[in-house]
Amino acid sequence: MTPRAAILGKIRSALSGADDAARRAAVEARLSKVPKGVIPARGQLDDVSRIDLFCAMAEKVTCTVARVRSHDHVPKAVSDYLRARNLPHAVRVGDDKRLKSLPWDQIKTLEIRRGASDGNDEAGLSHALAGVAETGTLVLASGKDNPTTINFLPEHHIVVVDAKDIAGDLETVMGKVRRKFGKGEMPRTLNLITGPSRSGDIEQKIILGAHGPRAVHLIVVG
């Protein structure tokens, strides 16, 4: 008998013959029906008000926001952002199919660099899996579609998020993530991004870009 088996045997004896089958069934029932916690009312709004709240909360944490009617307007919105900040007219993009299908050829001077960032890009472009209205948070899943390096290495992170993917609360978004990827198929990393990178460690002064982008620009579609 192994030490582990001996310890478990003593525990079983101390339980005075409790019904293991019944206990196991009770545990399985508990895990299959996980109780929900309290969800704040702030994000429980109609569609228009929920998107407005998301944009307002994002701006509150020093993001900038542009709203466009359709994905066809995204290339111009990206170009406008780069020009307004006098940045190189180039952006790093992953393999996201939604971003690949955009009419980039309409902006002749814009250079699209494909693949993960090597740290030498001024601007990167990602497509968010979802947004959280109550906090203005972006949810991005790692992978070739939207490499995590684009989230953190460029100085300027431009993120496209569909209005239909903006939920009122984090719990709703996490439910969507589980449904999308399924059990055992979760992405290696799920980044929750609320505004640009910042730190107040030095003399309690807020420094942007301490360990990530110093600017986050959202393009809300729809």
PDB file of all heavy atoms in Angstrom, residues 40-77:
ATOM      1  N   PRO A  40     -23.409  43.556 -11.432  1.00  0.00           N
ATOM      2  CA  PRO A  40     -23.803  44.961 -11.297  1.00  0.00           C
ATOM      3  C   PRO A  40     -24.809  45.378 -12.364  1.00  0.00           C
ATOM      4  O   PRO A  40     -24.769  44.909 -13.501  1.00  0.00           O
ATOM      5  CB  PRO A  40     -22.482  45.717 -11.466  1.00  0.00           C
ATOM      6  CG  PRO A  40     -21.429  44.722 -11.084  1.00  0.00           C
ATOM      7  CD  PRO A  40     -21.956  43.398 -11.548  1.00  0.00           C
ATOM      8  N   ALA A  41     -25.689  46.277 -11.999  1.00  0.00           N
ATOM      9  CA  ALA A  41     -26.741  46.725 -12.916  1.00  0.00           C
ATOM     10  C   ALA A  41     -26.212  47.705 -13.960  1.00  0.00           C
ATOM     11  O   ALA A  41     -26.891  47.961 -14.960  1.00  0.00           O
ATOM     12  CB  ALA A  41     -27.881  47.372 -12.123  1.00  0.00           C
ATOM     13  N   ARG A  42     -25.013  48.254 -13.756  1.00  0.00           N
ATOM     14  CA  ARG A  42     -24.516  49.325 -14.620  1.00  0.00           C
ATOM     15  C   ARG A  42     -24.492  48.945 -16.096  1.00  0.00           C
ATOM     16  O   ARG A  42     -24.811  49.759 -16.962  1.00  0.00           O
ATOM     17  CB  ARG A  42     -23.104  49.732 -14.179  1.00  0.00           C
ATOM     18  CG  ARG A  42     -22.524  50.850 -15.026  1.00  0.00           C
ATOM     19  CD  ARG A  42     -21.287  51.446 -14.395  1.00  0.00           C
ATOM     20  NE  ARG A  42     -20.220  50.469 -14.217  1.00  0.00           N
ATOM     21  CZ  ARG A  42     -19.064  50.768 -13.642  1.00  0.00           C
ATOM     22  NH1 ARG A  42     -18.856  51.978 -13.166  1.00  0.00           N
ATOM     23  NH2 ARG A  42     -18.129  49.844 -13.510  1.00  0.00           N
ATOM     24  N   GLY A  43     -24.148  47.691 -16.407  1.00  0.00           N
ATOM     25  CA  GLY A  43     -24.041  47.288 -17.800  1.00  0.00           C
ATOM     26  C   GLY A  43     -25.292  46.671 -18.383  1.00  0.00           C
ATOM     27  O   GLY A  43     -25.319  46.322 -19.569  1.00  0.00           O
ATOM     28  N   GLN A  44     -26.346  46.550 -17.579  1.00  0.00           N
ATOM     29  CA  GLN A  44     -27.565  45.902 -18.048  1.00  0.00           C
ATOM     30  C   GLN A  44     -28.456  46.929 -18.737  1.00  0.00           C
ATOM     31  O   GLN A  44     -29.419  47.437 -18.167  1.00  0.00           O
ATOM     32  CB  GLN A  44     -28.285  45.234 -16.875  1.00  0.00           C
ATOM     33  CG  GLN A  44     -27.382  44.351 -16.011  1.00  0.00           C
ATOM     34  CD  GLN A  44     -26.570  43.370 -16.835  1.00  0.00           C
ATOM     35  OE1 GLN A  44     -27.128  42.585 -17.598  1.00  0.00           O
ATOM     36  NE2 GLN A  44     -25.257  43.384 -16.664  1.00  0.00           N
ATOM     37  N   LEU A  45     -28.115  47.232 -19.986  1.00  0.00           N
ATOM     38  CA  LEU A  45     -28.770  48.304 -20.726  1.00  0.00           C
ATOM     39  C   LEU A  45     -29.246  47.818 -22.087  1.00  0.00           C
ATOM     40  O   LEU A  45     -28.895  46.717 -22.510  1.00  0.00           O
ATOM     41  CB  LEU A  45     -27.775  49.459 -20.922  1.00  0.00           C
ATOM     42  CG  LEU A  45     -27.140  50.047 -19.657  1.00  0.00           C
ATOM     43  CD1 LEU A  45     -25.967  50.938 -20.035  1.00  0.00           C
ATOM     44  CD2 LEU A  45     -28.168  50.833 -18.851  1.00  0.00           C
ATOM     45  N   ASP A  46     -29.992  48.662 -22.776  1.00  0.00           N
ATOM     46  CA  ASP A  46     -30.357  48.347 -24.148  1.00  0.00           C
ATOM     47  C   ASP A  46     -29.115  48.468 -25.028  1.00  0.00           C
ATOM     48  O   ASP A  46     -28.077  48.992 -24.604  1.00  0.00           O
ATOM     49  CB  ASP A  46     -31.462  49.282 -24.641  1.00  0.00           C
ATOM     50  CG  ASP A  46     -31.036  50.740 -24.620  1.00  0.00           C
ATOM     51  OD1 ASP A  46     -30.310  51.174 -25.528  1.00  0.00           O
ATOM     52  OD2 ASP A  46     -31.409  51.447 -23.661  1.00  0.00           O
ATOM     53  N   ASP A  47     -29.208  48.003 -26.273  1.00  0.00           N
ATOM     54  CA  ASP A  47     -28.033  47.919 -27.145  1.00  0.00           C
ATOM     55  C   ASP A  47     -27.319  49.259 -27.317  1.00  0.00           C
ATOM     56  O   ASP A  47     -26.095  49.356 -27.177  1.00  0.00           O
ATOM     57  CB  ASP A  47     -28.439  47.377 -28.518  1.00  0.00           C
ATOM     58  CG  ASP A  47     -28.858  45.914 -28.450  1.00  0.00           C
ATOM     59  OD1 ASP A  47     -28.583  45.277 -27.411  1.00  0.00           O
ATOM     60  OD2 ASP A  47     -29.451  45.416 -29.418  1.00  0.00           O
ATOM     61  N   VAL A  48     -28.071  50.300 -27.626  1.00  0.00           N
ATOM     62  CA  VAL A  48     -27.466  51.609 -27.883  1.00  0.00           C
ATOM     63  C   VAL A  48     -26.785  52.150 -26.630  1.00  0.00           C
ATOM     64  O   VAL A  48     -25.634  52.602 -26.661  1.00  0.00           O
ATOM     65  CB  VAL A  48     -28.524  52.614 -28.395  1.00  0.00           C
ATOM     66  CG1 VAL A  48     -27.922  54.013 -28.495  1.00  0.00           C
ATOM     67  CG2 VAL A  48     -29.059  52.166 -29.750  1.00  0.00           C
ATOM     68  N   SER A  49     -27.465  52.077 -25.497  1.00  0.00           N
ATOM     69  CA  SER A  49     -26.917  52.601 -24.246  1.00  0.00           C
ATOM     70  C   SER A  49     -25.708  51.790 -23.790  1.00  0.00           C
ATOM     71  O   SER A  49     -24.752  52.338 -23.221  1.00  0.00           O
ATOM     72  CB  SER A  49     -27.991  52.584 -23.153  1.00  0.00           C
ATOM     73  OG  SER A  49     -29.085  53.405 -23.514  1.00  0.00           O
ATOM     74  N   ARG A  50     -25.728  50.491 -24.060  1.00  0.00           N
ATOM     75  CA  ARG A  50     -24.598  49.641 -23.659  1.00  0.00           C
ATOM     76  C   ARG A  50     -23.334  50.006 -24.440  1.00  0.00           C
ATOM     77  O   ARG A  50     -22.241  50.091 -23.869  1.00  0.00           O
ATOM     78  CB  ARG A  50     -24.953  48.168 -23.872  1.00  0.00           C
ATOM     79  CG  ARG A  50     -23.880  47.218 -23.339  1.00  0.00           C
ATOM     80  CD  ARG A  50     -24.346  45.779 -23.396  1.00  0.00           C
ATOM     81  NE  ARG A  50     -24.617  45.315 -24.744  1.00  0.00           N
ATOM     82  CZ  ARG A  50     -25.828  45.099 -25.237  1.00  0.00           C
ATOM     83  NH1 ARG A  50     -26.908  45.303 -24.510  1.00  0.00           N
ATOM     84  NH2 ARG A  50     -25.987  44.675 -26.495  1.00  0.00           N
ATOM     85  N   ILE A  51     -23.472  50.243 -25.731  1.00  0.00           N
ATOM     86  CA  ILE A  51     -22.316  50.625 -26.547  1.00  0.00           C
ATOM     87  C   ILE A  51     -21.817  52.008 -26.147  1.00  0.00           C
ATOM     88  O   ILE A  51     -20.611  52.249 -26.067  1.00  0.00           O
ATOM     89  CB  ILE A  51     -22.677  50.573 -28.046  1.00  0.00           C
ATOM     90  CG1 ILE A  51     -23.030  49.134 -28.438  1.00  0.00           C
ATOM     91  CG2 ILE A  51     -21.514  51.061 -28.899  1.00  0.00           C
ATOM     92  CD1 ILE A  51     -23.759  49.025 -29.755  1.00  0.00           C
ATOM     93  N   ASP A  52     -22.740  52.916 -25.875  1.00  0.00           N
ATOM     94  CA  ASP A  52     -22.351  54.255 -25.412  1.00  0.00           C
ATOM     95  C   ASP A  52     -21.578  54.170 -24.097  1.00  0.00           C
ATOM     96  O   ASP A  52     -20.582  54.885 -23.908  1.00  0.00           O
ATOM     97  CB  ASP A  52     -23.594  55.130 -25.222  1.00  0.00           C
ATOM     98  CG  ASP A  52     -24.223  55.561 -26.543  1.00  0.00           C
ATOM     99  OD1 ASP A  52     -23.542  55.456 -27.588  1.00  0.00           O
ATOM    100  OD2 ASP A  52     -25.395  55.982 -26.535  1.00  0.00           O
ATOM    101  N   LEU A  53     -22.036  53.311 -23.197  1.00  0.00           N
ATOM    102  CA  LEU A  53     -21.344  53.142 -21.920  1.00  0.00           C
ATOM    103  C   LEU A  53     -19.944  52.590 -22.132  1.00  0.00           C
ATOM    104  O   LEU A  53     -18.973  53.060 -21.513  1.00  0.00           O
ATOM    105  CB  LEU A  53     -22.147  52.204 -21.006  1.00  0.00           C
ATOM    106  CG  LEU A  53     -21.473  51.845 -19.677  1.00  0.00           C
ATOM    107  CD1 LEU A  53     -21.282  53.085 -18.813  1.00  0.00           C
ATOM    108  CD2 LEU A  53     -22.284  50.781 -18.923  1.00  0.00           C
ATOM    109  N   PHE A  54     -19.821  51.605 -23.017  1.00  0.00           N
ATOM    110  CA  PHE A  54     -18.505  51.029 -23.308  1.00  0.00           C
ATOM    111  C   PHE A  54     -17.537  52.104 -23.792  1.00  0.00           C
ATOM    112  O   PHE A  54     -16.404  52.209 -23.313  1.00  0.00           O
ATOM    113  CB  PHE A  54     -18.642  49.927 -24.358  1.00  0.00           C
ATOM    114  CG  PHE A  54     -17.332  49.396 -24.863  1.00  0.00           C
ATOM    115  CD1 PHE A  54     -16.595  48.497 -24.104  1.00  0.00           C
ATOM    116  CD2 PHE A  54     -16.830  49.798 -26.098  1.00  0.00           C
ATOM    117  CE1 PHE A  54     -15.376  48.011 -24.564  1.00  0.00           C
ATOM    118  CE2 PHE A  54     -15.623  49.323 -26.568  1.00  0.00           C
ATOM    119  CZ  PHE A  54     -14.893  48.427 -25.801  1.00  0.00           C
ATOM    120  N   CYS A  55     -17.983  52.917 -24.728  1.00  0.00           N
ATOM    121  CA  CYS A  55     -17.127  53.973 -25.277  1.00  0.00           C
ATOM    122  C   CYS A  55     -16.764  54.987 -24.193  1.00  0.00           C
ATOM    123  O   CYS A  55     -15.608  55.428 -24.104  1.00  0.00           O
ATOM    124  CB  CYS A  55     -17.824  54.670 -26.439  1.00  0.00           C
ATOM    125  SG  CYS A  55     -18.094  53.596 -27.882  1.00  0.00           S
ATOM    126  N   ALA A  56     -17.733  55.353 -23.366  1.00  0.00           N
ATOM    127  CA  ALA A  56     -17.483  56.331 -22.307  1.00  0.00           C
ATOM    128  C   ALA A  56     -16.490  55.799 -21.283  1.00  0.00           C
ATOM    129  O   ALA A  56     -15.578  56.518 -20.841  1.00  0.00           O
ATOM    130  CB  ALA A  56     -18.798  56.709 -21.628  1.00  0.00           C
ATOM    131  N   MET A  57     -16.632  54.526 -20.905  1.00  0.00           N
ATOM    132  CA  MET A  57     -15.721  53.941 -19.921  1.00  0.00           C
ATOM    133  C   MET A  57     -14.325  53.774 -20.503  1.00  0.00           C
ATOM    134  O   MET A  57     -13.313  53.932 -19.806  1.00  0.00           O
ATOM    135  CB  MET A  57     -16.271  52.595 -19.443  1.00  0.00           C
ATOM    136  CG  MET A  57     -17.575  52.697 -18.665  1.00  0.00           C
ATOM    137  SD  MET A  57     -17.492  53.795 -17.229  1.00  0.00           S
ATOM    138  CE  MET A  57     -16.305  52.912 -16.202  1.00  0.00           C
ATOM    139  N   ALA A  58     -14.237  53.453 -21.802  1.00  0.00           N
ATOM    140  CA  ALA A  58     -12.932  53.329 -22.455  1.00  0.00           C
ATOM    141  C   ALA A  58     -12.220  54.681 -22.475  1.00  0.00           C
ATOM    142  O   ALA A  58     -11.011  54.768 -22.202  1.00  0.00           O
ATOM    143  CB  ALA A  58     -13.101  52.792 -23.872  1.00  0.00           C
ATOM    144  N   GLU A  59     -12.949  55.729 -22.780  1.00  0.00           N
ATOM    145  CA  GLU A  59     -12.355  57.067 -22.786  1.00  0.00           C
ATOM    146  C   GLU A  59     -11.951  57.499 -21.376  1.00  0.00           C
ATOM    147  O   GLU A  59     -10.978  58.233 -21.199  1.00  0.00           O
ATOM    148  CB  GLU A  59     -13.341  58.064 -23.395  1.00  0.00           C
ATOM    149  CG  GLU A  59     -13.530  57.865 -24.899  1.00  0.00           C
ATOM    150  CD  GLU A  59     -14.608  58.759 -25.482  1.00  0.00           C
ATOM    151  OE1 GLU A  59     -15.480  59.225 -24.696  1.00  0.00           O
ATOM    152  OE2 GLU A  59     -14.592  58.993 -26.708  1.00  0.00           O
ATOM    153  N   LYS A  60     -12.668  57.013 -20.391  1.00  0.00           N
ATOM    154  CA  LYS A  60     -12.359  57.360 -19.001  1.00  0.00           C
ATOM    155  C   LYS A  60     -10.995  56.808 -18.581  1.00  0.00           C
ATOM    156  O   LYS A  60     -10.331  57.384 -17.710  1.00  0.00           O
ATOM    157  CB  LYS A  60     -13.462  56.811 -18.085  1.00  0.00           C
ATOM    158  CG  LYS A  60     -13.425  57.355 -16.676  1.00  0.00           C
ATOM    159  CD  LYS A  60     -14.659  56.928 -15.896  1.00  0.00           C
ATOM    160  CE  LYS A  60     -14.660  57.527 -14.491  1.00  0.00           C
ATOM    161  NZ  LYS A  60     -15.874  57.152 -13.728  1.00  0.00           N
ATOM    162  N   VAL A  61     -10.579  55.697 -19.198  1.00  0.00           N
ATOM    163  CA  VAL A  61      -9.260  55.129 -18.885  1.00  0.00           C
ATOM    164  C   VAL A  61      -8.244  55.512 -19.966  1.00  0.00           C
ATOM    165  O   VAL A  61      -7.284  54.782 -20.227  1.00  0.00           O
ATOM    166  CB  VAL A  61      -9.329  53.599 -18.694  1.00  0.00           C
ATOM    167  CG1 VAL A  61     -10.112  53.257 -17.445  1.00  0.00           C
ATOM    168  CG2 VAL A  61      -9.937  52.899 -19.912  1.00  0.00           C
ATOM    169  N   THR A  62      -8.489  56.659 -20.614  1.00  0.00           N
ATOM    170  CA  THR A  62      -7.600  57.306 -21.589  1.00  0.00           C
ATOM    171  C   THR A  62      -7.429  56.558 -22.907  1.00  0.00           C
ATOM    172  O   THR A  62      -6.409  56.723 -23.581  1.00  0.00           O
ATOM    173  CB  THR A  62      -6.203  57.628 -20.974  1.00  0.00           C
ATOM    174  OG1 THR A  62      -5.550  56.417 -20.600  1.00  0.00           O
ATOM    175  CG2 THR A  62      -6.334  58.536 -19.772  1.00  0.00           C
ATOM    176  N   CYS A  63      -8.387  55.753 -23.290  1.00  0.00           N
ATOM    177  CA  CYS A  63      -8.429  55.251 -24.665  1.00  0.00           C
ATOM    178  C   CYS A  63      -9.010  56.355 -25.546  1.00  0.00           C
ATOM    179  O   CYS A  63      -9.703  57.250 -25.068  1.00  0.00           O
ATOM    180  CB  CYS A  63      -9.325  54.019 -24.785  1.00  0.00           C
ATOM    181  SG  CYS A  63      -8.720  52.529 -24.002  1.00  0.00           S
ATOM    182  N   THR A  64      -8.728  56.278 -26.835  1.00  0.00           N
ATOM    183  CA  THR A  64      -9.442  57.108 -27.803  1.00  0.00           C
ATOM    184  C   THR A  64     -10.381  56.186 -28.575  1.00  0.00           C
ATOM    185  O   THR A  64     -10.108  54.991 -28.723  1.00  0.00           O
ATOM    186  CB  THR A  64      -8.478  57.824 -28.761  1.00  0.00           C
ATOM    187  OG1 THR A  64      -7.602  56.856 -29.369  1.00  0.00           O
ATOM    188  CG2 THR A  64      -7.652  58.858 -28.016  1.00  0.00           C
ATOM    189  N   VAL A  65     -11.483  56.733 -29.047  1.00  0.00           N
ATOM    190  CA  VAL A  65     -12.529  55.903 -29.664  1.00  0.00           C
ATOM    191  C   VAL A  65     -12.994  56.525 -30.975  1.00  0.00           C
ATOM    192  O   VAL A  65     -13.238  57.726 -31.051  1.00  0.00           O
ATOM    193  CB  VAL A  65     -13.739  55.739 -28.718  1.00  0.00           C
ATOM    194  CG1 VAL A  65     -14.816  54.873 -29.374  1.00  0.00           C
ATOM    195  CG2 VAL A  65     -13.309  55.139 -27.384  1.00  0.00           C
ATOM    196  N   ALA A  66     -13.104  55.686 -32.000  1.00  0.00           N
ATOM    197  CA  ALA A  66     -13.734  56.069 -33.266  1.00  0.00           C
ATOM    198  C   ALA A  66     -14.852  55.071 -33.541  1.00  0.00           C
ATOM    199  O   ALA A  66     -14.694  53.877 -33.270  1.00  0.00           O
ATOM    200  CB  ALA A  66     -12.718  56.052 -34.401  1.00  0.00           C
ATOM    201  N   ARG A  67     -15.955  55.558 -34.059  1.00  0.00           N
ATOM    202  CA  ARG A  67     -17.078  54.677 -34.362  1.00  0.00           C
ATOM    203  C   ARG A  67     -17.366  54.733 -35.862  1.00  0.00           C
ATOM    204  O   ARG A  67     -17.466  55.824 -36.439  1.00  0.00           O
ATOM    205  CB  ARG A  67     -18.303  55.077 -33.540  1.00  0.00           C
ATOM    206  CG  ARG A  67     -18.037  54.982 -32.045  1.00  0.00           C
ATOM    207  CD  ARG A  67     -19.232  55.357 -31.201  1.00  0.00           C
ATOM    208  NE  ARG A  67     -20.312  54.390 -31.344  1.00  0.00           N
ATOM    209  CZ  ARG A  67     -21.398  54.389 -30.557  1.00  0.00           C
ATOM    210  NH1 ARG A  67     -21.530  55.283 -29.599  1.00  0.00           N
ATOM    211  NH2 ARG A  67     -22.341  53.481 -30.755  1.00  0.00           N
ATOM    212  N   VAL A  68     -17.475  53.561 -36.472  1.00  0.00           N
ATOM    213  CA  VAL A  68     -17.729  53.479 -37.914  1.00  0.00           C
ATOM    214  C   VAL A  68     -18.932  52.573 -38.165  1.00  0.00           C
ATOM    215  O   VAL A  68     -19.267  51.718 -37.340  1.00  0.00           O
ATOM    216  CB  VAL A  68     -16.486  52.945 -38.672  1.00  0.00           C
ATOM    217  CG1 VAL A  68     -15.302  53.887 -38.493  1.00  0.00           C
ATOM    218  CG2 VAL A  68     -16.111  51.535 -38.211  1.00  0.00           C
ATOM    219  N   ARG A  69     -19.550  52.773 -39.330  1.00  0.00           N
ATOM    220  CA  ARG A  69     -20.768  52.015 -39.634  1.00  0.00           C
ATOM    221  C   ARG A  69     -20.496  50.555 -39.963  1.00  0.00           C
ATOM    222  O   ARG A  69     -21.256  49.666 -39.594  1.00  0.00           O
ATOM    223  CB  ARG A  69     -21.498  52.666 -40.805  1.00  0.00           C
ATOM    224  CG  ARG A  69     -22.193  53.960 -40.473  1.00  0.00           C
ATOM    225  CD  ARG A  69     -23.032  54.418 -41.652  1.00  0.00           C
ATOM    226  NE  ARG A  69     -23.783  55.622 -41.342  1.00  0.00           N
ATOM    227  CZ  ARG A  69     -24.646  56.178 -42.181  1.00  0.00           C
ATOM    228  NH1 ARG A  69     -24.850  55.627 -43.370  1.00  0.00           N
ATOM    229  NH2 ARG A  69     -25.299  57.272 -41.835  1.00  0.00           N
ATOM    230  N   SER A  70     -19.424  50.312 -40.709  1.00  0.00           N
ATOM    231  CA  SER A  70     -19.152  48.952 -41.162  1.00  0.00           C
ATOM    232  C   SER A  70     -17.654  48.698 -41.197  1.00  0.00           C
ATOM    233  O   SER A  70     -16.840  49.636 -41.087  1.00  0.00           O
ATOM    234  CB  SER A  70     -19.749  48.718 -42.553  1.00  0.00           C
ATOM    235  OG  SER A  70     -19.041  49.480 -43.524  1.00  0.00           O
ATOM    236  N   HIS A  71     -17.281  47.439 -41.403  1.00  0.00           N
ATOM    237  CA  HIS A  71     -15.865  47.070 -41.469  1.00  0.00           C
ATOM    238  C   HIS A  71     -15.157  47.735 -42.652  1.00  0.00           C
ATOM    239  O   HIS A  71     -13.943  47.943 -42.605  1.00  0.00           O
ATOM    240  CB  HIS A  71     -15.722  45.549 -41.554  1.00  0.00           C
ATOM    241  CG  HIS A  71     -15.939  44.858 -40.247  1.00  0.00           C
ATOM    242  ND1 HIS A  71     -17.181  44.463 -39.817  1.00  0.00           N
ATOM    243  CD2 HIS A  71     -15.064  44.503 -39.270  1.00  0.00           C
ATOM    244  CE1 HIS A  71     -17.071  43.885 -38.639  1.00  0.00           C
ATOM    245  NE2 HIS A  71     -15.805  43.908 -38.272  1.00  0.00           N
ATOM    246  N   ASP A  72     -15.900  48.071 -43.691  1.00  0.00           N
ATOM    247  CA  ASP A  72     -15.291  48.709 -44.863  1.00  0.00           C
ATOM    248  C   ASP A  72     -14.659  50.060 -44.523  1.00  0.00           C
ATOM    249  O   ASP A  72     -13.785  50.544 -45.237  1.00  0.00           O
ATOM    250  CB  ASP A  72     -16.329  48.902 -45.969  1.00  0.00           C
ATOM    251  CG  ASP A  72     -16.717  47.585 -46.631  1.00  0.00           C
ATOM    252  OD1 ASP A  72     -15.989  46.586 -46.422  1.00  0.00           O
ATOM    253  OD2 ASP A  72     -17.739  47.543 -47.326  1.00  0.00           O
ATOM    254  N   HIS A  73     -15.104  50.661 -43.425  1.00  0.00           N
ATOM    255  CA  HIS A  73     -14.579  51.965 -43.032  1.00  0.00           C
ATOM    256  C   HIS A  73     -13.370  51.847 -42.095  1.00  0.00           C
ATOM    257  O   HIS A  73     -12.780  52.878 -41.747  1.00  0.00           O
ATOM    258  CB  HIS A  73     -15.675  52.780 -42.337  1.00  0.00           C
ATOM    259  CG  HIS A  73     -16.808  53.157 -43.235  1.00  0.00           C
ATOM    260  ND1 HIS A  73     -17.895  52.339 -43.434  1.00  0.00           N
ATOM    261  CD2 HIS A  73     -17.025  54.254 -44.007  1.00  0.00           C
ATOM    262  CE1 HIS A  73     -18.741  52.914 -44.264  1.00  0.00           C
ATOM    263  NE2 HIS A  73     -18.238  54.076 -44.640  1.00  0.00           N
ATOM    264  N   VAL A  74     -13.005  50.644 -41.710  1.00  0.00           N
ATOM    265  CA  VAL A  74     -11.892  50.467 -40.769  1.00  0.00           C
ATOM    266  C   VAL A  74     -10.551  50.936 -41.348  1.00  0.00           C
ATOM    267  O   VAL A  74      -9.794  51.631 -40.656  1.00  0.00           O
ATOM    268  CB  VAL A  74     -11.808  48.999 -40.295  1.00  0.00           C
ATOM    269  CG1 VAL A  74     -10.507  48.744 -39.528  1.00  0.00           C
ATOM    270  CG2 VAL A  74     -13.010  48.669 -39.416  1.00  0.00           C
ATOM    271  N   PRO A  75     -10.193  50.582 -42.598  1.00  0.00           N
ATOM    272  CA  PRO A  75      -8.897  51.045 -43.123  1.00  0.00           C
ATOM    273  C   PRO A  75      -8.717  52.560 -43.049  1.00  0.00           C
ATOM    274  O   PRO A  75      -7.646  53.052 -42.657  1.00  0.00           O
ATOM    275  CB  PRO A  75      -8.911  50.544 -44.567  1.00  0.00           C
ATOM    276  CG  PRO A  75      -9.768  49.320 -44.527  1.00  0.00           C
ATOM    277  CD  PRO A  75     -10.858  49.666 -43.560  1.00  0.00           C
ATOM    278  N   LYS A  76      -9.746  53.310 -43.393  1.00  0.00           N
ATOM    279  CA  LYS A  76      -9.643  54.771 -43.322  1.00  0.00           C
ATOM    280  C   LYS A  76      -9.496  55.228 -41.873  1.00  0.00           C
ATOM    281  O   LYS A  76      -8.733  56.165 -41.576  1.00  0.00           O
ATOM    282  CB  LYS A  76     -10.863  55.433 -43.950  1.00  0.00           C
ATOM    283  CG  LYS A  76     -10.750  56.961 -44.001  1.00  0.00           C
ATOM    284  CD  LYS A  76     -11.945  57.588 -44.673  1.00  0.00           C
ATOM    285  CE  LYS A  76     -11.758  59.108 -44.810  1.00  0.00           C
ATOM    286  NZ  LYS A  76     -11.518  59.776 -43.518  1.00  0.00           N
ATOM    287  N   ALA A  77     -10.218  54.580 -40.959  1.00  0.00           N
ATOM    288  CA  ALA A  77     -10.119  54.953 -39.547  1.00  0.00           C
ATOM    289  C   ALA A  77      -8.707  54.704 -39.019  1.00  0.00           C
ATOM    290  O   ALA A  77      -8.175  55.495 -38.239  1.00  0.00           O
ATOM    291  CB  ALA A  77     -11.141  54.161 -38.726  1.00  0.00           C
TER     292      ALA A  77
END
